[in-house]
């Protein structure tokens, strides 16, 4: 007697357990039939597939939930119950697979399918090609192979992960990311096994990659960095680093990378065939220096050598400045390495890359400091830093020898021209200190006035703009008003115009007794007309108006206000008007000023 199989065990289960009413089941069957017809007519869309998958997943959820509720968590082990889930799982699996055959898909959908397969592996009995075969037939993007392989590895199936990588590399031989992620999975697998699994396969995959992409140092560095994320896989580390050094011995990027690794604790000993990790700062520094110097000894191209020595020099200076190495022997080793690097850079490679390198060289080499600074100037005559260091050094050593210091200053200004302001500031400070000592003896420093005068009359705008102001500020301390006005007149005749000169003179004139109102008004008018439109605030104009109210009268102040409106930035006119009205009302309250028998009214809102 033959057994009659139920073609729709899920529908029967839904009816038997009252999980759906008749109308809902009819709609479910109708949707299934409609989907089958659409697939037959080739009118099916990806959205139809996704809708059908969602429908079947809901049915599966209802059935599982009821099985757990009625028969307990082990119900799915009984054939009469598992058949229901087998039927639905195979249907959903088929829907996913055929959708992938027909339409393109992204990694989110791929992961969704793989998660479904993982959760329902025991119920899926479809005899269809594995997913990796489908992906290869469809020419899927290489990133999907990485996604699938990573998913399989994270779910503890290393062989499936390897299959996805191998298939992806077969399709995309030139895709470097596939190779990098392949090695990364092997590295993680080795770390998970904690030495139980040999490194041969990982080394083989690495070798295949560098042989295919021979000469690609950037890829080699990426593979090396991936392997170093775990410090215990030493045989793989050594295989990669030894090839790296051998293949790129004439490339400065290799030496920089190996030195950088040494500074991070990864030390490579070529002769001993060792690659180790250390936490000792002293050992890191020593190995880093050894690598750089070995690179400089090995490289034959002069320009490549210059690139490497620049990086080496920056490393040494950083070590020196941060004082990260405290032991005397190591610190002394860094100092000696600096000396060797500076000498090679200057004498063998045509000069150090940056002017400040000479400054560091001079700072840590006291015995030959002056000679090194002279070298700095010879190679960097247009750079202010060496000149600044030389000038400060000479002031420190020969403070009393003004003539010698002045000669260095003059030479620097002649070389730097408009860029020499820093030297002027150093010289100013030096002469100010001398002046203070002489003032204590009731004597004025004659060189200081000569210095300010030469700065004020300098042909270089950046210098005379600063030192015209400095000269006037200093001059008012020692001279009478007549002399000060004469100097001011001379300084304002020098181009370009300088607003600060006028403001200093206005403030100084305000201190005179009696006050020369006409002179101050003339100065304010000049400043407003020449610099008014350049102002980003109204303080200049309000100062002028306040002065008129204080020392003249309200009518003059009103005239000033109306006049300056033509100079003020249009965006600031409203603010100026408000401040003017405020000053005006304060003046009225203070003085009881009356015009035509009544108090002067403020401007109306519409008045300009």
């Amino acid at each position: 007697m033959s057994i009659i199989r139920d073609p729709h065990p899920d529908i029967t289960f839904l009816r038997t357990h009252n999980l759906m009413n008749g109308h809902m089941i009819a709609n479910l069957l109708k949707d299934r039939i409609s989907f089958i017809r659409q697939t037959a007519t080739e009118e099916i869309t990806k959205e139809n597939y996704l809708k059908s998958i969602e429908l079947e997943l809901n049915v599966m959820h209802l059935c599982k939930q009821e099985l757990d509720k009625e028969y307990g968590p082990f119900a799915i082990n009984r054939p009469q119950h598992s058949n229901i889930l087998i039927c639905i799982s195979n249907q959903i699996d088929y829907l996913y697979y055929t959708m992938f055959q027909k339409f393109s898909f992204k990694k989110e959908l791929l992961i969704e399918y793989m998660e479904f397969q993982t959760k329902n592996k025991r119920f899926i009995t479809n005899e269809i090609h594995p997913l990796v075969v489908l992906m290869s037939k469809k020419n899927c993007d290489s990133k999907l192979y990485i996604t699938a392989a990573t998913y399989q590895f994270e779910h503890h199936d290393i062989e499936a992960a390897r299959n996805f990588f191998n298939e992806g590399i077969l399709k995309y031989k030139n895709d470097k990311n596939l190779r990098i992620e392949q090695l990364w999975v092997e590295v993680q697998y080795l770390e998970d096994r904690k030495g139980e699994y040999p490194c041969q396969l990982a080394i083989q995959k690495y070798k295949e990659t560098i042989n295919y992409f021979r000469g690609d140092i950037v890829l080699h560095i990426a593979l090396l960095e991936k392997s170093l994320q775990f410090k215990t896989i030493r045989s793989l580390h050594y295989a990669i680093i030894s090839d790296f050094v051998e293949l790129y011995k004439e490339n400065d990027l290799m030496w920089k990378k190996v030195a950088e690794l040494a500074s991070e604790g990864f030390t490579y000993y070529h002769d001993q065939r060792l690659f180790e990790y250390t936490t000792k700062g002293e050992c890191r520094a020593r190995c880093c220096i050894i690598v750089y110097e070995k690179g400089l000894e090995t490289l034959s191209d002069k320009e490549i050598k210059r690139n490497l020595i620049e990086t080496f020099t920056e490393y040494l200076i950083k070590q020196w400045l941060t004082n990260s190495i405290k032991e005397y022997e190591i610190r002394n080793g860094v100092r000696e390495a600096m000396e060797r690097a500076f000498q090679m850079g200057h004498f063998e490679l045509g000069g150090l890359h940056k002017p400040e390198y000479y400054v560091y060289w001079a700072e840590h080499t006291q015995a030959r400091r002056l000679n090194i600074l002279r070298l700095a100037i010879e190679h960097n005559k247009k750079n202010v830093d060496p000149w600044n260091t030389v000038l400060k050094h000479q002031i420190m050593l020969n403070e009393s020898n003004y003539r010698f210091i002045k000669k260095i200053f003059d030479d620097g200004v002649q070389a730097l021209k408009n860029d020499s302001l820093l030297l002027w500031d150093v010289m100013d400070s030096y002469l100010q200190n001398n002046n203070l000592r002489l003032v204590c003896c009731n004597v004025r420093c004659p060189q200081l006035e000569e210095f300010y005068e030469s700065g004020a009359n300098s042909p270089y705008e950046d210098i005379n703009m600063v030192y015209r102001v400095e000269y006037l500020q200093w001059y008012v301390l020692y001279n009478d008003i007549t002399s000060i006005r004469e100097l001011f007149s001379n300084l304002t005749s020098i181009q370009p115009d300088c607003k600060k000169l006028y403001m200093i003179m206005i403030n100084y004139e305000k201190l005179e007794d009696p006050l020369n109102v006409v002179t101050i008004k003339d100065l304010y008018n000049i400043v407003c007309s020449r610099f008014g439109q350049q102002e980003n605030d109204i303080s200049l104009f309000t100062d002028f108006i306040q002065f008129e109210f204080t020392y003249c009268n309200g009518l003059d102040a009103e005239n000033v206000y109306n006049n300056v409106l033509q100079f003020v930035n249009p965006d600031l006119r409203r603010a100026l008007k408000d401040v003017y009205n405020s000053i005006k009302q304060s003046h009225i309250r203070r003085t009881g000023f009356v015009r035509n028998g009544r108090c002067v009214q403020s401007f109306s809102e519409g008045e300009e």
Side-chain angles (χ1 to χ4, degrees):
M1 184 175 181
S2 62
I3 300 173
I4 300 174
R5 291 186 176 275
D6 185 352
H8 301 292
D10 53 336
I11 299 295
T12 303
F13 187 82
L14 292 170
R15 279 201 185 102
T16 305
H17 292 80
N18 294 319
L19 299 178
M20 286 185 180
N21 59 34
H23 178 69
M24 293 171 69
I25 288 174
N27 283 338
L28 172 61
L29 292 171
K30 181 180 176 182
D31 288 339
R32 286 180 174 176
I33 292 168
S34 173
F35 179 80
I36 291 169
R37 286 174 178 167
Q38 285 175 325
T39 56
T41 60
E42 296 296 324
E43 294 177 358
I44 195 77
T45 65
K46 188 176 180 180
E47 286 68 31
N48 295 139
Y49 270 102
L50 291 171
K51 183 179 178 182
S52 185
I53 289 169
E54 183 180 7
L55 181 70
E56 300 300 340
L57 285 170
N58 286 334
V59 170
M60 173 179 270
H61 176 69
L62 283 172
C63 293
K64 272 187 175 180
Q65 198 173 40
E66 184 65 19
L67 285 170
D68 289 344
K69 177 182 173 183
E70 289 291 323
Y71 306 105
F74 300 106
I76 56 176
N77 294 326
R78 300 177 191 136
Q80 66 269 32
H81 297 144
S82 63
N83 285 339
I84 299 166
L85 299 179
I86 288 170
C87 174
I88 305 173
S89 296
N90 281 322
Q91 173 64 11
I92 296 171
D93 183 65
Y94 178 77
L95 288 171
Y96 270 118
Y97 197 88
T98 51
M99 177 178 67
F100 285 172
Q101 283 180 315
K102 292 177 180 291
F103 305 104
S104 62
F105 54 92
K106 295 183 179 179
K107 70 175 186 177
E108 291 79 12
L109 197 56
L110 175 62
I111 291 173
E112 181 185 305
Y113 176 38
M114 296 182 79
E115 284 177 342
F116 169 79
Q117 284 190 318
T118 301
K119 290 176 183 176
N120 301 283
K121 188 175 182 180
R122 62 182 298 184
F123 305 120
I124 298 172
T125 59
N126 286 337
E127 293 184 0
I128 55 179
H129 291 300
L131 179 60
V132 67
V133 176
L134 167 64
M135 288 172 62
S136 295
K137 286 182 177 179
K138 279 187 65 67
N139 293 320
C140 289
D141 187 89
S142 62
K143 292 176 182 176
L144 291 177
Y145 287 97
I146 296 173
T147 297
T150 303
Y151 177 88
Q152 294 290 18
F153 172 70
E154 289 172 350
H155 288 78
H156 313 293
D157 192 343
I158 185 64
E159 292 305 325
R162 286 169 177 163
N163 285 340
F164 276 110
F165 276 124
N166 290 337
E167 195 66 29
I169 290 169
L170 196 63
K171 294 286 291 183
Y172 298 98
K173 290 184 171 61
N174 296 322
D175 193 297
K176 297 174 187 177
N177 284 331
L178 265 169
R179 309 278 187 148
I180 293 169
E181 294 304 317
Q182 180 189 44
L183 182 67
W184 174 228
V185 163
E186 294 294 345
V187 167
Q188 292 177 87
Y189 182 67
L190 289 171
E191 178 66 15
D192 291 345
R193 301 300 292 267
K194 299 297 181 186
E196 298 174 9
Y197 191 82
C199 292
Q200 275 72 18
L201 184 59
I203 293 174
Q204 176 193 332
K205 296 300 179 186
Y206 149 73
K207 292 279 189 183
E208 288 173 1
T209 298
I210 63 160
N211 287 334
Y212 187 81
F213 294 97
R214 185 168 293 277
D216 192 331
I217 189 171
V218 175
L219 175 62
H220 208 132
I221 290 173
L223 296 171
L224 177 58
E225 288 175 342
K226 282 291 185 185
S227 74
L228 291 176
Q229 292 191 41
F230 298 111
K231 301 180 179 68
T232 57
I233 315 167
R234 293 185 180 177
S235 56
L236 176 62
H237 295 161
Y238 180 79
I240 298 177
I241 194 74
S242 58
D243 285 344
F244 187 49
V245 173
E246 185 62 32
L247 288 171
Y248 302 105
K249 62 179 67 174
E250 288 294 333
N251 192 318
D252 61 305
L253 291 179
M254 181 277 288
W255 293 105
K256 288 177 185 177
K257 186 61 185 177
V258 177
E260 178 190 322
L261 291 174
S263 71
E264 295 170 356
F266 296 98
T267 53
Y268 172 62
Y269 303 95
H270 182 269
D271 296 338
Q272 293 91 339
R273 298 177 64 82
L274 289 173
F275 188 67
E276 297 180 337
Y277 180 76
T278 180
T279 57
K280 295 181 179 178
E282 299 83 3
C283 185
R284 291 180 176 191
R286 186 187 297 111
C287 292
C288 187
I289 290 170
I290 289 171
V291 170
Y292 274 121
E293 292 189 333
K294 180 70 175 175
L296 290 168
E297 179 187 326
T298 304
L299 292 171
S300 53
D301 185 277
K302 188 174 180 179
E303 196 55 40
I304 294 176
K305 233 177 188 180
R306 280 177 59 79
N307 292 337
L308 183 62
I309 204 166
E310 180 179 11
T311 308
F312 184 27
T313 306
E314 287 175 352
Y315 166 77
L316 291 169
I317 290 170
K318 183 179 178 182
Q319 290 290 315
W320 191 261
L321 293 178
T322 56
N323 292 315
S324 60
I325 303 170
K326 295 179 181 178
E327 285 195 14
Y328 171 77
E329 293 81 2
I330 304 303
R331 189 163 178 77
N332 191 53
V334 171
R335 182 169 54 246
E336 290 175 355
M338 286 175 72
E339 181 68 25
R340 292 192 295 272
F342 286 137
Q343 286 200 26
M344 175 181 284
H346 181 79
F347 293 109
E348 296 180 30
L349 300 175
L352 303 183
H353 274 71
K354 297 179 181 177
E356 57 264 35
Y357 289 173
Y358 286 97
V359 176
Y360 291 123
W361 188 7
E363 283 180 352
H364 91 280
T365 312
Q366 293 293 337
R368 296 181 292 111
R369 190 174 187 186
L370 188 57
N371 290 335
I372 294 168
L373 288 173
R374 284 174 181 155
L375 292 175
I377 289 173
E378 286 175 13
H379 282 75
N380 303 278
K381 287 185 177 178
K382 300 298 181 183
N383 189 295
V384 71
D385 291 330
W387 284 105
N388 181 44
T389 304
V390 170
L391 185 58
K392 286 182 176 178
H393 181 62
Q394 288 303 328
I395 289 172
M396 182 180 67
L397 295 181
N398 303 293
E399 188 175 4
S400 61
N401 193 341
Y402 171 74
R403 186 172 297 178
F404 183 59
I405 292 169
K406 180 69 163 53
K407 176 68 167 63
I408 295 172
F409 169 74
D410 288 341
D411 289 345
V413 171
Q414 185 178 359
L416 297 167
K417 298 180 171 54
N418 210 39
D419 298 323
S420 62
L421 184 59
L422 186 57
L423 299 190
W424 286 88
D425 292 344
V426 172
M427 198 67 177
D428 189 2
S429 179
Y430 161 66
L431 292 172
Q432 288 279 11
N433 289 335
N434 283 352
N435 189 53
L436 284 175
R437 284 192 290 272
L438 291 172
V439 166
C440 293
C441 305
N442 294 318
V443 180
R444 201 164 78 194
C445 176
Q447 292 91 356
L448 187 56
E449 183 165 4
E450 292 174 8
F451 170 77
Y452 282 136
E453 188 175 358
S454 64
N457 289 282
S458 170
Y460 312 117
E461 286 186 7
D462 285 359
I463 309 304
N464 73 50
M465 282 289 285
V466 172
Y467 277 90
R468 277 184 284 161
V469 172
E470 293 286 335
Y471 187 15
L472 184 59
Q473 286 177 322
W474 176 83
Y475 197 83
V476 298
L477 299 174
Y478 302 102
N479 295 279
D480 59 53
I481 186 63
T482 303
S483 300
I484 293 168
R485 286 170 178 163
E486 184 180 348
L487 176 64
F488 171 74
S489 177
N490 291 335
L491 294 176
T492 53
S493 67
I494 301 170
Q495 291 300 314
D497 275 338
C498 178
K499 177 189 167 185
K500 282 186 178 180
L501 282 175
Y502 290 94
M503 299 312 297
I504 291 169
M505 197 63 197
I506 287 170
N507 291 330
Y508 184 73
E509 290 282 4
K510 286 179 180 180
L511 298 175
E512 284 296 295
D513 188 15
L515 198 69
N516 192 326
V517 174
V518 174
T519 298
I520 296 173
K521 289 179 68 169
D522 288 343
L523 291 171
Y524 266 125
N525 277 314
I526 292 171
V527 178
C528 289
S529 62
R530 292 187 183 178
F531 305 102
Q533 292 181 343
Q534 302 170 16
E535 294 295 293
N536 291 318
D537 63 57
I538 59 173
S539 58
L540 169 62
F541 309 112
T542 56
D543 283 350
F544 190 7
I545 293 167
Q546 183 70 66
F547 176 80
E548 291 289 351
F549 273 122
T550 303
Y551 297 102
C552 301
N553 56 66
L555 289 175
D556 287 343
E558 185 174 335
N559 289 333
V560 167
Y561 169 76
N562 290 324
N563 286 333
V564 298
L565 279 177
Q566 64 184 306
F567 303 119
V568 72
N569 185 323
D571 296 335
L572 301 174
R573 285 176 183 168
R574 178 70 189 190
L576 179 61
K577 174 182 173 181
D578 292 341
V579 175
Y580 169 72
N581 281 328
S582 176
I583 296 172
K584 185 176 182 179
Q585 293 303 323
S586 297
H587 177 71
I588 292 170
R589 287 193 297 270
R590 188 172 65 253
T591 64
F593 172 68
V594 176
R595 188 175 68 188
N596 295 330
R598 60 188 177 87
C599 290
V600 178
Q601 299 298 310
S602 65
F603 283 122
S604 66
E605 288 300 313
E607 218 172 349
E608 286 295 322

